[in-house]
Amino acid sequence: MRSTGAAARAVILAAAVCAVLCVRPALPPGGTGVPWDTVGLLAGLYLVCELPGRHPFFGSSVPISAGSFFPLLLAAAFLVPPAAAALVAIPGSLAGRVESAPVAARRIWRTAQLTITVWVASSVHGLLGGAATLGGPGPGLLPDFPYAVLPACVAALAFSLVLTALDGSILAVAERVPVRHAWRGLLPSSLGPHLVHGLAGLMMALLWRSSYGPPAALFVLLPMYISCWVFSQYHRQQAAHRATIRALVQAVDIKDTYTRGHSERVGRASVLIARELGMAEDRLEVLRFAGILHDVGKLGVPTRVLRKDGPLTPEERRVIELHPEYGHEIVRGIGFLGEARAAILHHHERLDGSGYPYGLSGREIPEFARVVAVADAFDAMTSTRSYRRGRPVPAAVEELKRCAGTQFDPQMVRALARGVERCGWAAETMAVTADEPVPLPGAGAGAGAGAGAGVARQVSRPRMPDGLDGADGFDGAAERPR
């Protein structure tokens, strides 16, 4: 929890306190009348469903979150009182797999979130008389159809509303997503699946309460596991996409060591801009890929040109100016990149039409390319290289504003400025993005001879930042295009 921000810790703690209050009525000494056999069996089933995700053998073939087993939680919400239903979510949530740090904070948050959500769903179901519609094992106790569907669907709607509300709150405080965007798209994308989960949970509850008993209800787990498998295949595909991106970026970093780490930071800055613009969530990942891969075309540029000492000849400059087209050809067949391909091709176009490779201007330049161009130049200015210190973030933002309308889209520049002001930026001012560390200006001659002539040779290289012209400005024509 120490690595979690104070605001996020406060939200997690508040959720945990609410979760305790939800389950407290079911606990001794006041928890009388709780059907512990049903609660124990449901909690055990949920735990069994979640545990395989932590085993290396099953980890790649089961879902990575509790979402695929929501029908079981909703069945609990329909079958037992709210406090008891909330207890069902706790063992599986605590034991389930957590993909990234901080593990403890994520585990506590997920447990509290699901406990509260199941309690709300069960309360709504009870207020609508849902328990009486499920029938029972005795004669004449048949389910009340079609009315039984109504409380189940309303409970599933409440489940979805509470879950997305909590998701948005943690995004706002932990991931620093703007409040106006934190909840965008969450409910529309989850409402349909949650309603389906509610109907599956209703089916399980009806079988559970029927004369066939809990064993019959377990058959509902089979289609649930099939849905889990489909879900896991999607995530496998996403992992393969990320591996492809990583391989390409590593190849670029090996070839042009002077900008190592630059690609990842451009991807991060591009997403920062996109969030401020209010782009849809499904476009953010593609835009991040565009930022990361914007310089993949360097793989087609001869290494001797990329690493050449001294000024480039006109012919060498023309060769480097081909790298957007090389990049586009490299990624042409990678279907999942979508709009990112256009950004890779056009990120060196300028708003006034003087860029390359096609001299597009204004709105002719694709939106992703205009975003990446700003992110590219911003990171180039704020990153320390072997030949000069990085600029302070405010100075870099001011320089982008000066060139807005000629080289850069003013809307993208304003979005970057807002994002940096709101979230800050960990400028790479202390790390040299090259193979060998070099003494920065002012380090003095006492750096020692160990730096050697090779370091002095690197410092003397007249290489300029990506997207910049002249002496870190934007107005020179003789600068090496990067």
Side-chain angles (χ1 to χ4, degrees):
M1 292 279 288
R2 289 181 179 178
S3 61
T4 309
R9 286 199 301 270
V11 171
I12 293 171
L13 180 60
V17 171
C18 289
V20 171
L21 294 176
C22 288
V23 302
R24 182 66 187 88
L27 301 177
T32 58
V34 175
W36 288 110
D37 53 345
T38 301
V39 171
L41 185 52
L42 287 168
L45 284 173
Y46 184 54
L47 177 62
V48 168
C49 288
E50 289 292 339
L51 279 179
R54 301 186 65 174
H55 194 283
F57 179 77
F58 296 103
S60 62
S61 59
V62 298
I64 62 172
S65 72
S68 294
F69 303 114
F70 283 168
L72 201 156
L73 295 180
L74 284 163
F78 302 154
L79 286 168
V80 296
L87 284 172
V88 172
I90 294 176
S93 301
L94 286 174
R97 186 166 79 181
V98 176
E99 286 292 299
S100 55
V103 173
R106 290 179 183 273
R107 201 181 297 281
I108 293 170
W109 169 255
R110 182 175 64 185
T111 303
Q113 181 187 34
L114 289 178
T115 300
I116 295 169
T117 305
V118 172
W119 183 89
V120 171
S122 183
S123 298
V124 170
H125 189 258
L127 287 174
L128 295 175
T133 67
L134 299 178
L141 298 177
L142 298 176
D144 183 8
F145 274 117
Y147 181 74
V149 177
L150 177 61
C153 288
V154 175
L157 174 61
F159 183 96
S160 187
L161 287 171
V162 174
L163 195 65
T164 54
L166 292 171
D167 279 339
S169 66
I170 201 67
L171 283 175
V173 298
E175 304 294 337
R176 294 185 176 181
V177 176
V179 173
R180 63 182 182 278
H181 300 319
W183 288 271
R184 179 173 301 194
L186 290 180
L187 184 61
S189 63
S190 61
L191 184 57
H194 288 160
L195 287 174
V196 174
H197 292 159
L199 293 175
L202 175 62
M203 182 190 304
M204 190 171 185
L206 289 171
L207 290 171
W208 195 288
R209 292 280 293 270
S210 72
S211 58
Y212 299 103
L218 297 183
F219 284 106
V220 180
L221 291 176
L222 178 60
M224 288 169 57
Y225 262 102
I226 293 175
S227 70
C228 291
W229 181 84
V230 173
F231 185 72
S232 69
Q233 297 312 301
Y234 168 77
H235 280 275
R236 275 181 160 182
Q237 184 182 54
Q238 294 299 105
H241 292 171
R242 290 191 291 270
T244 301
I245 301 300
R246 272 197 309 274
L248 289 171
V249 170
Q250 287 171 354
V252 174
D253 284 347
I254 290 171
K255 185 159 188 173
D256 189 7
T257 57
Y258 280 85
T259 56
R260 180 163 294 167
H262 169 68
S263 298
E264 288 83 356
R265 294 192 300 273
V266 171
R268 185 158 54 92
S270 298
V271 171
L272 183 69
I273 295 171
R275 289 196 187 280
E276 292 298 321
L277 294 173
M279 279 192 188
E281 288 293 323
D282 59 350
R283 300 181 70 199
L284 293 185
E285 185 73 356
V286 178
L287 179 58
R288 188 175 71 86
F289 289 158
I292 290 174
L293 292 175
H294 73 286
D295 274 342
V296 70
K298 288 179 180 178
L299 294 174
V301 177
T303 304
R304 61 177 177 79
V305 176
L306 284 176
R307 299 186 178 184
K308 179 185 176 183
D309 291 321
L312 296 175
T313 66
E315 179 59 32
E316 289 167 338
R317 182 181 178 87
R318 283 192 292 272
V319 169
I320 284 192
E321 286 183 349
L322 289 173
H323 83 267
E325 294 177 275
Y326 291 154
H328 186 258
E329 286 301 313
I330 289 171
V331 303
R332 180 191 292 274
I334 305 179
F336 68 84
L337 288 178
E339 291 181 86
R341 294 192 293 266
I344 292 168
L345 179 61
H346 296 295
H347 71 278
H348 277 298
E349 306 284 4
R350 295 170 57 118
L351 218 63
D352 60 7
S354 63
Y356 62 89
Y358 298 133
L360 302 184
S361 63
R363 294 291 171 173
E364 293 177 342
I365 305 171
E367 183 181 28
F368 274 20
R370 286 179 273 132
V371 171
V372 171
V374 172
D376 185 18
F378 174 70
D379 179 70
M381 284 190 287
T382 55
S383 298
T384 292
R385 302 287 169 82
S386 58
Y387 47 83
R388 58 107 178 103
R389 283 184 182 272
R391 290 187 181 191
V393 168
V397 171
E398 286 304 313
E399 185 68 7
L400 290 171
K401 289 179 179 178
R402 184 179 71 83
C403 298
T406 54
Q407 182 165 352
F408 303 115
D409 186 330
Q411 183 184 18
M412 309 308 174
V413 173
R414 289 193 297 269
L416 176 71
R418 290 196 304 270
V420 168
E421 182 179 359
R422 181 177 56 82
C423 298
W425 181 260
E428 300 293 325
T429 54
M430 298 304 295
V432 179
T433 51
D435 268 346
E436 301 178 48
V438 299
L440 294 173
V455 170
R457 175 171 170 268
Q458 287 185 23
V459 175
S460 68
R461 291 165 65 92
R463 300 173 63 86
M464 294 297 171
D466 298 86
L468 306 186
D469 295 311
D472 279 0
F474 297 85
D475 52 1
E479 174 49 35
R480 170 175 304 195
R482 297 285 296 150

